[in-house]
């Protein structure tokens, strides 16, 4: 397994108390695989990713428990320098907002080229040539000219391609893309997502794709992990999960996406709000919002039950949920 995160816990010390942002998350992704991580705002998707990348805001954030095995080594036990090396060359992250992730006063050619100068010891001239090649890989028109432009001279979609190029430059084994297309308009979103999926296959990278958007997941991901209040509540191969979710929260998410075959029908919305992470409800944290909740849900926290060899659900009543 390329990446295998186990029982991760992250908390933040805030003025209002301790926010339990990640509460025992485990997920794994292999080379050539895409894992989609899904869940409402505040469910801990980004914090989990930051913990894996080693870029958590510390303080206030702190990993209190867990292991992050990357190619068999526990990243949490590595010394600073080795950790930085792995983060710089073997894993990379793509963020939602390219404009703030890129350096505004450096041409994109220099930014891309610097990766090769610093990490591969290339000459400026060779690095520049590689930068142009990379820009062509991510399908930026007239790359040889545009290599001299600054980030603000590109459109949002093109900037996102440049960030993908930066992430790919050193051919990392793992890429984490955190809502990589959320800031773009819909048609551009689809193009950038297709590009990312193509490159992922071509380079046989492991990809963790964080998204709100169940719509994009179906086409590009192999597996899905659904997060709620800092836990994984369901994990399954994409098509199994779409066919029959084994958790009421997943069912709610699926029922709230617009579908062509359901035209005219009113869209479902999960009632209520995600919990305050300083006061997560006891029992099943979803119980205040769950249409299937019973007494036991208010007191007993469901473990991640094994639904099948490849599926898990943290719902006491996953069987009923599966049966619809
Ligand atoms: N720097 C921080 N300081 C304090 N608390 C934080 C910080 N970063 C995250 N948190 C806490 O962790 C929770 C989970 O945040 P996270 O960014 O992982 O959510 P997310 O699932 O990525 O949401 P979104 O879809 O909005 O990006 C937040 O609701 C917040 O309580
Ligand atoms: S354990 Fe209970 S409250 Fe939680 S999702 Fe299942 S039915 Fe709903
Ligand atoms: Mg996030």
């Amino acid at each position: 397994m390329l990446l295998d995160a186990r029982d991760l816990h992250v908390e933040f010390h805030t003025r209002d108390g301790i926010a339990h942002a990640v509460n025992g998350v485990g997920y794994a992704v292999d080379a050539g695989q895409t894992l989609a991580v899904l869940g409402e705002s505040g469910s801990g998707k980004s914090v989990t990713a930051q913990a894996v990348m080693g870029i958590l805001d510390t303080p206030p954030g702190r990993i209190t428990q867990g292991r992050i095995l990357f190619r068999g080594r526990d990243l949490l036990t590595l010394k600073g320098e080795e950790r930085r090396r792995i983060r710089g060359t073997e894993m990379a992250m793509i963020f939602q907002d390219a404009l703030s992730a890129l350096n505004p006063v450096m041409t994109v050619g220099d930014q891309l080229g610097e990766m090769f100068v610093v990490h591969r010891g290339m000459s400026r001239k060779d690095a520049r040539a590689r930068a142009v090649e990379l820009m062509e890989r991510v399908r930026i028109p007239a790359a040889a000219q545009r290599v001299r432009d600054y980030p603000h001279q590109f459109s949002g979609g093109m900037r996102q391609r440049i960030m993908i190029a930066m992430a790919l430059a050193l051919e990392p084994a793992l890429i984490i893309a955190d809502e990589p297309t959320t800031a773009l308009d819909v048609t551009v979103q689809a193009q950038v997502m297709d590009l990312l999926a193509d490159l992922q296959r071509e380079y046989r990278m492991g990809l963790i794709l964080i998204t709100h958007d169940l719509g994009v997941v179906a086409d590009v991901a192999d597996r899905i992990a659904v997060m709620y209040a800092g836990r994984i509540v369901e994990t399954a191969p994409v098509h199994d999960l779409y066919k029959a979710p084994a958790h009421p929260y997943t069912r709610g998410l699926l029922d709230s996406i617009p579908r062509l075959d359901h035209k005219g029908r009113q869209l479902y919305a999960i009632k209520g709000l995600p919990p305050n992470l300083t006061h997560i409800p006891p029992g099943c944290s979803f119980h205040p919002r769950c249409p299937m909740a019973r007494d036991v849900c208010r007191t007993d926290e469901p473990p991640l039950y094994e639904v099948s060899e490849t599926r898990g659900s943290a719902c006491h009543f996953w069987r009923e949920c599966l049966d619809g």
Side-chain angles (χ1 to χ4, degrees):
M1 197 54 73
L2 179 63
L3 176 84
D4 186 1
R6 297 186 189 166
D7 195 30
L8 261 189
H9 292 252
V10 181
E11 50 185 48
F12 288 91
H13 289 250
T14 70
R15 271 186 306 174
D16 304 326
I18 297 177
H20 299 274
V22 178
N23 303 299
V25 165
Y27 58 45
V29 61
D30 223 336
Q33 249 193 2
T34 297
L35 170 76
V37 180
L38 207 82
E40 283 167 299
S41 190
S43 56
K45 305 180 297 294
S46 296
V47 170
T48 306
Q50 287 157 10
V52 169
M53 279 299 288
I55 56 169
L56 200 63
D57 248 345
T58 315
R62 202 158 63 92
I63 298 175
T64 55
Q65 203 177 311
R67 306 216 287 159
I68 302 171
L69 302 173
F70 180 69
R71 295 175 150 164
R73 300 164 77 193
D74 187 350
L75 296 180
L76 297 179
T77 64
L78 296 183
K79 293 238 162 32
E81 195 181 329
E82 178 62 359
R83 186 79 174 91
R84 271 193 295 280
R85 191 194 63 75
I86 291 179
R87 174 164 69 239
T89 60
E90 296 184 49
M91 11 168 99
M93 194 144 172
I94 298 169
F95 300 93
Q96 178 178 326
D97 180 8
L99 205 49
S100 59
L102 296 168
N103 184 341
V105 296
M106 225 172 150
T107 67
V108 299
D110 284 346
Q111 289 184 61
L112 286 168
E114 186 156 273
M115 309 278 289
F116 299 112
V117 173
V118 171
H119 294 282
R120 296 283 185 263
M122 280 188 188
S123 69
R124 293 260 156 220
K125 185 159 167 269
D126 291 348
R128 169 60 62 105
R130 289 297 297 277
V132 174
E133 250 172 58
L134 261 178
M135 287 172 71
E136 283 165 351
R137 291 312 290 271
V138 296
R139 302 176 203 152
I140 293 177
Q145 285 91 55
R146 302 230 57 191
V147 72
R148 282 185 283 274
D149 287 348
Y150 291 88
H152 75 268
Q153 293 173 284
F154 290 84
S155 68
M158 288 297 151
R159 269 201 297 271
Q160 210 60 8
R161 287 165 193 263
I162 291 163
M163 195 145 62
I164 292 173
M166 294 277 283
L168 282 174
L170 303 175
E171 302 190 12
L174 176 72
I175 287 195
I176 303 181
D178 192 351
E179 313 254 6
T181 62
T182 306
L184 307 174
D185 67 50
V186 179
T187 41
V188 181
Q189 272 187 14
Q191 291 161 5
V192 171
M193 194 54 72
D194 285 348
L195 171 72
L196 188 59
D198 285 353
L199 292 166
Q200 181 266 338
R201 273 191 293 270
E202 195 180 316
Y203 287 79
R204 275 193 58 73
M205 291 178 299
L207 175 65
I208 296 177
L209 177 65
I210 298 172
T211 175
H212 280 100
D213 188 349
L214 257 169
V216 308
V217 167
D219 299 328
V220 297
D222 302 294
R223 291 187 64 80
I224 300 194
V226 180
M227 285 189 72
Y228 188 78
R231 300 189 73 205
I232 295 206
V233 295
E234 178 163 10
T235 171
V238 169
H239 297 288
D240 295 353
L241 182 134
Y242 270 78
K243 230 183 282 164
H247 195 287
Y249 179 62
T250 315
R251 178 168 293 278
L253 290 179
L254 283 173
D255 287 348
S256 52
I257 38 173
R259 288 162 58 152
L260 287 176
D261 49 333
H262 290 181
K263 230 183 203 157
R265 218 204 270 180
Q266 179 138 31
L267 273 184
Y268 174 81
I270 302 170
K271 66 169 192 195
L273 293 171
N276 177 343
L277 298 174
T278 57
H279 294 91
I280 295 179
C284 172
S285 57
F286 186 55
H287 83 252
R289 306 174 70 189
C290 180
M292 284 174 56
R294 279 161 245 187
D295 285 346
V296 64
C297 305
R298 283 174 259 280
T299 51
D300 294 11
E301 183 174 318
L304 192 69
Y305 293 105
E306 190 178 300
V307 171
S308 75
E309 243 172 62
T310 54
R311 297 188 67 163
S313 165
C315 172
H316 295 304
F317 301 104
W318 62 265
R319 277 199 183 80
E320 282 175 43
C321 189
L322 256 188
D323 292 342

